[in-house]
Amino acid sequence: MAGPTPQTSAPAPGLPPQQLDDLERRLVDSVDVDALVADLAALVACAAVGGSPGESAIQRWAATRLRDLGLEVVEWEVDLAAESAQAGFPGMEVTRDELVGVVGTWPGASAPGTRGGAGGGPDGDADGAADGAADEGLPALALCGHTDVVPVDDPARWRSDPFRLALDDGLLTGRGACDMLGGVAAVLGAVRALRSCGVVLARPLAVHLVSGEEDGGAGAFATLRAGHSASACVIAEPTGGAVIPANAGSLTFRLEVEGRAAHGSTRTAGENALDHLAPVQAALRELEARRNVDPPAEFAHLDLVAPISIGIVRSGTWASTVPDLLVAEGRYGVLPGEPLETARSAFEDAMATLGEGDAWLTAHPVRVSWPGGAFASGSLPAGHGLLDEMLAAAASVSGRAPRVEGAPYGSDLRHYAAHGIPTVQFGPGDLVQAHAVDESVRLDEVVACAQAYAVLAPRRCGAPPQHGD
C-alpha cells in the first residue's frame, strides 16, 4: 500500500525550497504501509520488556528482518561484565543476563560524481565535505532505534492485549507502539523503500538497533564501543512532529531517612520516619525552582527543563509499629550541558541543608545514593548541517516545517554525542503516550517518518543518478 501523497510547498524555516525529485517521489510512494504495520505487530508481539527473554528475542528478530532487506548484519552478544566495568558505563536498572547488539549496513558504492557533495549533504556544505574527506568508508548516516519497552503494570486496564498490536481508525495501540517500536518500524519501512526502488548509495547507510535504552542505554553504549559509527545519526524517538537537537538528562536518586521504632500505642516514644517526607519534598521543590530559572532557548517551551519527582515511597513493615525508615526513590533532572557530578553535588548539598532547622535530621542526616541508570545531557554541535537536512526532508514529505525543540528527558543521543557523532531525534508519536496505558501512535505519523528517512538517506549518503531519474 502506498503512503500519503507528499506535499512540497512548505520547506523548513530559513531553508531554500527543496522539491522532491523523481527518485525521492518514488521513494515516498514506495513506503509499503501493510509491511510497515506487519513489522510493528511483530515487534510489539515480542514483549521486549527490559531484562526479559523478549528483549533478546526482538533483537534477533530485527537482525533477521535487516538481512531479509539485504543489509550486511552484525549480530553479537554483548559482554555485560566487560561493558559494566568501563568508565562512563550508564548503569542498568533491571537485571539482565544477556544483551544482543544488532547493526545493519547498506554498503556504499563510492561512485564519483554523486549527488549531494562529498559528504552527502544536500549542498555539499563544510560538514559534508569534511565527512567525505576524512571518513570515506564510514556510514554517512545511521538510523537508530531502541527495541526494549517498559513493563505493563496491569494488563486489565488496557482496552486490548498490550502485546498484540491493535489498529483502529488509524491508531496503532500496543506496548512500545509509541516508545519506540513505531520509530523502529519506520526505519525498516524506509530501508524497504530504498531497496524496492533499487537505490545505490555512494556512502554507506547504517541501522543501529539497540536495547537497554529505557534503563540507561547499555545497548547504545556497547554498540559504539564496538566501533560502529557514522558521520551523523537520526534517532527515531517519538518527538511529536519536532526535530530535537538537544536533550536534558536525568539521574535516579534514593533517599533514606532514619526514624526510631516504637509501638503504635506509644508513638511519641518513637520517631516516625514518614513524618520527615514533607520537609524532604519541600526541599526538592525549592531545589527544582532554583534549577529551572532561565532555561536555554531550545527548552523555553517547557514549564520545567529539569523536573524532580519522587516515584516510589516505602516505609514501615507493621501497622502498629512506628516506622524507623523511610525510603524514597525518584527522578532528578540534569540540566543541558551540566556534568553529572555537578548535578549530584547540587542535590546532595540540598539534602544536607535539611538538618539546619531540624534537630532530628541534624543528628540523622538524609542518606543519598544513586542507583540505576545515569542519563547525561547531549546536543548536536551548533550549526551542524544535519539539523537543516532533517528539517528539509521532513518538510518536503509533509509540507509542514517541523518545530525545533529541546527535550527534557535523557536518551541515547548523549551516547552518540559523546562519541563525536552529530545526532538529532525525529520520530513518530507523542511523548505523552510513552509508557502509558493504551500506548499508541498514529499510522500516518509512522508512514510520514518512514518517508522522511527514505528521502534523507540519499540526500545525506549521496546517490548516483538512478534509472528513471
Side-chain angles (χ1 to χ4, degrees), residues 367-455:
R367 297 188 293 271
V368 180
S369 57
W370 302 97
F375 290 81
S377 64
S379 64
L380 180 75
H384 193 277
L386 177 64
L387 177 59
D388 283 351
E389 292 166 21
M390 188 70 259
L391 288 168
S396 43
V397 165
S398 70
R400 297 183 301 276
R403 307 181 310 280
V404 178
E405 296 176 350
Y409 52 82
S411 79
D412 282 338
L413 182 150
R414 97 274 194 192
H415 290 311
Y416 284 80
H419 278 258
I421 302 172
T423 302
V424 298
Q425 293 177 181
F426 177 72
D430 193 304
L431 185 60
V432 298
Q433 282 293 324
H435 304 188
V437 172
D438 294 323
E439 180 179 351
S440 62
V441 65
R442 293 210 60 84
L443 175 57
D444 57 358
E445 293 182 27
V446 182
V447 172
C449 286
Q451 293 169 332
Y453 304 149
V455 168

Side-chain angles (χ1 to χ4, degrees), residues 100-113:
V100 177
V102 174
V103 171
T105 304
W106 187 314
S110 300

Side-chain angles (χ1 to χ4, degrees), residues 302-354:
L302 300 168
D303 58 343
L304 294 170
V305 178
I308 306 174
S309 63
I310 293 176
I312 300 173
V313 175
R314 298 187 297 272
S315 188
T317 57
W318 193 254
S320 61
T321 298
V322 173
D324 63 357
L325 181 66
L326 166 73
V327 179
E329 297 180 6
R331 180 192 185 278
Y332 174 51
V334 175
L335 292 165
E338 181 181 34
L340 293 180
E341 285 309 311
T342 302
R344 289 188 182 104
S345 294
F347 188 95
E348 291 166 0
D349 290 347
M351 292 299 99
T353 62
L354 273 169

Side-chain angles (χ1 to χ4, degrees), residues 155-171:
R157 295 178 60 197
W158 287 60
R159 289 193 298 267
S160 58
D161 182 344
F163 295 113
R164 184 174 181 177
L165 187 71
L167 174 57
D168 182 24
D169 195 26
L171 193 68

